[in-house]
Amino acid sequence: MKRVITYGTFDLFHIGHLNLLERLRKLGDHLTVAVSTDEFNMRKEKICSMPFADRARIVSALRCVDAVIPEETWEQKVDDIRTHGIAIFGMGHDWSGRFDFLEEHCQVVYLPRTEGISTTSLKEQIGEK
Ligand code: C2G
């Protein structure tokens, strides 16, 4: 079984998130998504509209997602890859190059982002700062 993993906040879940997760799932037979906890988002200096429990539950309800784990630190990725027997680590290409160090543990892929949508733009559209 070829296992894939990705990491993210997935706040105000939108089509860009879904496109990425569905494409990552098609690269293998199993997709694990590490959803950033509220505490980790504070370290990422990301203000979230939705609490971790809601973000994790929405992601885990998707047909293309097989498992959800919490993302609590920047440093957990190597352990996660080993623990979960990951063959492919994937992210959107806005992270291109940032995780190449994982190549000694698994294949690393960066997929094109979905243009024209982001959590930030959604917040601006609905007037939430
Ligand atoms: N994404 C995308 N297209 C968009 C918006 C986001 O493909 N229009 C992708 C991003 O490239 C990322 C994933 O969706 O791979 C999740 O995006 P965020 O929720 O913004 O996650 P981020 O804050 O980038 O956290 O350790 C890694 C971090 O936790 C990533």
Side-chain angles (χ1 to χ4, degrees):
M1 178 179 282
K2 183 181 284 188
R3 293 173 177 269
V4 184
I5 197 167
T6 191
Y7 293 72
T9 304
F10 300 103
D11 191 28
L12 298 182
F13 195 86
H14 57 67
I15 194 65
H17 295 140
L18 183 60
N19 286 340
L20 179 83
L21 295 181
E22 287 185 336
R23 289 166 60 214
L24 285 172
R25 177 64 178 75
K26 287 181 184 150
L27 297 179
D29 312 295
H30 183 284
L31 174 62
T32 297
V33 182
V35 177
S36 310
T37 61
D38 297 331
E39 297 74 17
F40 182 52
N41 272 323
M42 281 162 53
R43 287 174 56 192
K44 291 197 295 188
E45 295 179 1
K46 264 199 142 171
I47 298 171
C48 250
S49 300
M50 299 160 66
F52 168 74
D54 293 4
R55 293 183 283 110
R57 187 168 156 205
I58 288 167
V59 171
S60 63
L62 300 173
R63 235 192 328 267
C64 63
V65 175
D66 301 284
V68 170
I69 61 173
E71 180 185 27
E72 297 170 299
T73 69
W74 288 111
E75 297 79 18
Q76 72 182 73
K77 294 182 176 68
V78 173
D79 284 347
D80 291 346
I81 288 165
R82 288 183 176 141
T83 305
H84 296 274
I86 299 298
I88 300 174
F89 167 94
M91 296 291 291
H93 69 23
D94 50 311
W95 289 93
S96 190
R98 296 278 295 276
F99 300 111
D100 291 357
F101 68 92
L102 294 173
E103 281 169 351
E104 61 183 280
H105 303 282
C106 66
Q107 184 184 351
V108 175
V109 298
Y110 302 102
L111 300 181
R113 277 173 67 97
T114 301
E115 296 309 325
I117 185 136
S118 68
T119 302
T120 304
S121 66
L122 286 174
K123 285 181 178 177
E124 285 163 2
Q125 282 171 35
I126 58 180
E128 179 184 352
K129 292 289 171 251

